[in-house]
């Protein structure tokens, strides 16, 4: 029976006419309706519930509104930093293209008037409008489902694509299901999660380079798992964790995938024949098993920090230092200055981020004051998506060691 259904489905898809891109949506409501997937919830409540908690459901806002702030900075800089943009990209649709091809790809199926409405909603911070603009089921399982179009053709209207099911699909609009093997492959995610988008863009953007890092570092180091295996199969499904909106879940995942090892030595160093210097030596090792560099992506300031503190037994601070692990970008001109924001980052000037399987080792020597023979060493590893914003800082590990020169 399944074989017959599969054959029928293939015939159904093959019989559909090859179509040109859909007619441009003339209003914002029309665009929202075209890509509305709320009816998917009827048959797929669990998956839909997961997606509702994902950042794909709020691509114009992002965690704690950070994506919106980045969008606002980009749009508001059109007549200042990006003053040539009206000459190169006269329409708002052209201007927004480097951003929305990932954050809202269906906007490219809309009119210039709709693009103007979206830009206004961005500038005004109109969350009522922006909450309607989502990476829905239809975007991934129809519009963007076929990557190798010269081989496989355009996605067909009325067809939902997935990695497994072939046959009739119980929906009034998408009546058939067809297989697209690419939905299993990391390259499917790379349609958005790679960067910078230098080629064929009037203004490059660098939001994320996780795919590039996965392919060029994780895989050569012996990694075998795909984006889908780590961000869907293991936990979360269509929630695509971590989404940085759930501090406990985010910290838990980071604790599982990043290790912190700490050893300490207390001793008296003899610099000459007469004197002794009481010392504490701290050796740390941070190892990430994440399938790409971490941290990565926007917001630009995101970083992992390793904070060291040395205190006396009664709590008096003797020493503090911080090591910062992050990709550091420049604008691409010769100013050699680190920059933030997706539309400013062009090349890496320095990269201290955690690379898959490569230990980050630190050795710190601390001189103890005269009379101090015992100390407490504390090392704290934290992911700071937005440094200084408590709800955007996620503890990973905290390790404490006692050191004594009395033994």
């Amino acid at each position: 029976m399944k074989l017959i259904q599969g054959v029928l489905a293939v015939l159904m898809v093959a019989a559909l006419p090859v179509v040109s891109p859909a007619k441009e949506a003339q209003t914002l409501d029309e665009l929202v309706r075209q890509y509305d997937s709320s009816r998917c919830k009827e048959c797929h409540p669990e998956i839909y519930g997961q997606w509702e908690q994902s950042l794909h459901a709020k691509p114009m806002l992002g965690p704690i509104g950070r994506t919106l702030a980045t969008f606002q900075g980009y749009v508001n800089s059109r007549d200042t930093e990006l003053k040539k943009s009206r000459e190169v990209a006269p329409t708002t649709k052209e201007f927004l293209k480097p951003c929305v091809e990932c954050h809202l790809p269906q906007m490219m199926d809309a009119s210039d008037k709709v693009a103007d409405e979206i830009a206004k909603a961005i500038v005004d911070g109109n969350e009522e409008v922006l909450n309607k603009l989502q990476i829905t089921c239809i975007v991934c399982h129809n519009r963007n489902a076929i990557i190798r179009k010269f081989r496989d053709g355009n996605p067909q209207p009325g067809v939902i694509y997935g990695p497994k099911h072939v046959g009739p699909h119980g929906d009034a609009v998408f009546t058939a299901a067809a297989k697209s093997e690419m939905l299993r492959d990391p390259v499917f995610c790379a349609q958005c999660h790679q960067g910078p988008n230098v080629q064929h863009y009037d203004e490059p953007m660098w939001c994320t380079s996780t795919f590039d890092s996965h392919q060029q570092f994780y895989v050569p180091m012996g990694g075998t798992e795909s984006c889908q295996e780590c961000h869907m199969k293991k936990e979360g499904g269509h929630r695509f964790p971590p989404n940085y909106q759930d501090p406990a879940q985010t910290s838990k995942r980071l604790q599982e995938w990043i290790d912190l090892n700490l050893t300490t030595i207390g001793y008296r160093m003899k610099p000459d024949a007469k004197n002794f210097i009481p010392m504490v030596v701290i050796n740390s090792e941070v190892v990430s098993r994440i399938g790409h560099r971490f941290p990565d992506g926007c917001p630009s300031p995101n970083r992992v920090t390793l904070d060291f503190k040395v205190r006396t037994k009664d709590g008096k601070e003797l020493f503090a230092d911080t090591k910062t692990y992050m990709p550091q970008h420049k604008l691409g001109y010769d100013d050699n200055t680190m920059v933030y924001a997706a539309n400013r980052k062009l090349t890496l000037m320095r990269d201290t981020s955690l690379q898959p399987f490569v230990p980050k080792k630190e050795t710190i020597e601390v001189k103890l004051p005269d009379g101090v023979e015992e100390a407490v060493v504390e090392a704290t590893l934290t992911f700071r998506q937005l440094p200084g914003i408590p709800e955007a800082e996620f503890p990973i590990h905290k390790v404490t060691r006692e050191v004594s020169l009395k033994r």
Side-chain angles (χ1 to χ4, degrees):
M1 185 63 181
K2 287 184 179 179
L3 177 61
I4 294 173
Q5 288 179 339
V7 172
L8 288 173
V10 171
L11 292 173
M12 287 165 61
V13 174
L16 290 169
V18 176
V19 293
S20 58
K23 182 182 176 182
E24 284 188 343
Q26 298 302 306
T27 67
L28 190 59
D29 286 343
E30 184 182 349
L31 180 66
V32 171
R33 283 196 304 272
Q34 283 183 6
Y35 285 89
D36 177 29
S37 62
S38 58
R39 65 185 183 279
C40 300
K41 188 175 184 177
E42 296 177 19
C43 295
H44 306 283
E46 183 179 355
I47 292 174
Y48 193 86
Q50 293 167 354
W51 169 82
E52 285 183 304
Q53 298 177 63
S54 76
L55 290 178
H56 285 184
K58 50 188 301 182
M60 305 296 288
L61 298 173
I64 66 171
R66 182 56 189 168
T67 302
L68 172 58
T70 303
F71 264 117
Q72 287 174 326
Y74 177 64
V75 175
N76 287 328
S77 65
R78 185 160 197 195
D79 294 315
T80 53
E81 181 182 350
L82 305 176
K83 59 187 177 183
K84 289 288 186 180
S85 65
R86 293 190 186 276
E87 174 187 320
V88 177
T91 69
T92 303
K93 183 175 177 178
E94 292 174 282
F95 177 72
L96 287 178
K97 180 180 178 180
C99 297
V100 299
E101 282 215 318
C102 288
H103 281 269
L104 195 72
Q106 63 266 42
M107 199 204 81
M108 302 312 295
D109 303 334
S111 66
D112 292 332
K113 177 176 174 292
V114 173
D116 290 337
E117 288 184 66
I118 292 173
K120 185 177 186 306
I122 290 170
V123 172
D124 294 345
N126 189 335
E127 294 190 17
E128 183 180 353
V129 170
L130 297 174
N131 271 321
K132 299 177 183 177
L133 303 174
Q134 303 169 314
I135 306 296
T136 68
C137 311
I138 297 168
V139 173
C140 289
H141 290 277
N142 180 267
R143 186 190 190 277
N144 288 15
I146 294 179
I147 295 175
R148 311 191 82 165
K149 294 182 176 63
F150 283 3
R151 291 169 173 80
D152 303 324
N154 287 316
Q156 296 300 305
V159 178
I160 282 291
Y161 295 87
K164 294 180 180 179
H165 182 63
V166 174
H169 183 249
D171 182 75
V173 178
F174 293 92
T175 57
K179 183 181 287 189
S180 175
E181 290 288 351
M182 283 296 178
L183 268 77
R184 296 176 182 269
D185 196 282
V187 77
F188 180 78
C189 306
Q191 291 179 91
C192 291
H193 296 273
Q194 66 171 319
N197 58 1
V198 173
Q199 290 186 326
H200 315 302
Y201 280 84
D202 294 325
E203 187 62 32
M205 293 287 168
W206 190 327
C207 283
T208 177
S209 57
T210 47
F211 173 75
D212 308 65
S213 178
H214 176 274
Q215 293 288 290
Q216 296 165 15
F217 210 109
Y218 173 73
V219 174
M221 290 292 288
T224 59
E225 294 182 293
S226 67
C227 313
Q228 293 88 334
E229 285 171 321
C230 287
H231 292 279
M232 296 182 73
K233 287 184 179 180
K234 286 180 183 283
E235 181 186 353
H238 283 71
R239 191 180 182 189
F240 310 105
N243 60 18
Y244 309 129
Q245 299 170 113
D246 184 337
Q249 181 250 25
T250 299
S251 290
K252 179 175 179 288
R253 281 182 63 90
L254 293 176
Q255 287 162 10
E256 291 173 354
W257 290 93
I258 301 176
D259 301 321
L260 170 61
N261 302 308
L262 186 74
T263 61
T264 56
I265 303 170
Y267 75 107
R268 290 180 177 86
M269 176 181 158
K270 193 169 184 178
D272 51 47
K274 295 182 178 181
N275 299 300
F276 290 95
I277 300 175
M279 300 285 293
V280 171
V281 180
I282 306 167
N283 290 299
S284 68
E285 181 183 70
V286 179
V287 182
S288 170
R289 287 167 282 108
I290 295 172
H292 47 78
R293 73 159 53 88
F294 187 84
D296 189 68
C298 284
S300 300
N302 63 354
R303 62 197 66 186
V304 171
T305 60
L306 182 56
D307 297 290
F308 296 99
K309 292 186 185 298
V310 180
R311 298 185 179 94
T312 60
K313 295 279 282 188
D314 59 3
K316 181 183 176 182
E317 186 172 292
L318 303 175
F319 174 84
D321 192 18
T322 297
K323 302 299 180 182
T324 300
Y325 306 128
M326 66 183 296
Q328 299 167 23
H329 303 79
K330 64 178 181 177
L331 192 61
Y333 304 120
D334 291 331
D335 56 3
N336 293 321
T337 300
M338 191 172 79
V339 295
Y340 291 157
N343 63 300
R344 296 194 179 102
K345 299 182 294 184
L346 188 62
T347 54
L348 283 164
M349 66 185 304
R350 186 164 179 259
D351 187 3
T352 62
S353 62
L354 304 177
Q355 302 290 348
F357 311 123
V358 179
K360 285 282 186 182
K361 296 183 178 182
E362 312 289 348
T363 298
I364 297 174
E365 295 185 346
V366 181
K367 179 182 176 181
L368 296 179
D370 291 339
V372 176
E373 294 188 317
E374 294 181 300
V376 178
V377 177
E378 182 181 278
T380 306
L381 193 68
T382 309
F383 172 48
R384 305 183 191 276
Q385 196 197 38
L386 279 176
I389 307 297
E391 60 266 39
E393 297 193 342
F394 308 96
I396 305 174
H397 296 293
K398 184 175 182 178
V399 181
T400 301
R401 298 280 186 265
E402 292 188 2
V403 181
S404 177
L405 279 69
K406 293 181 177 181
R407 302 189 190 101

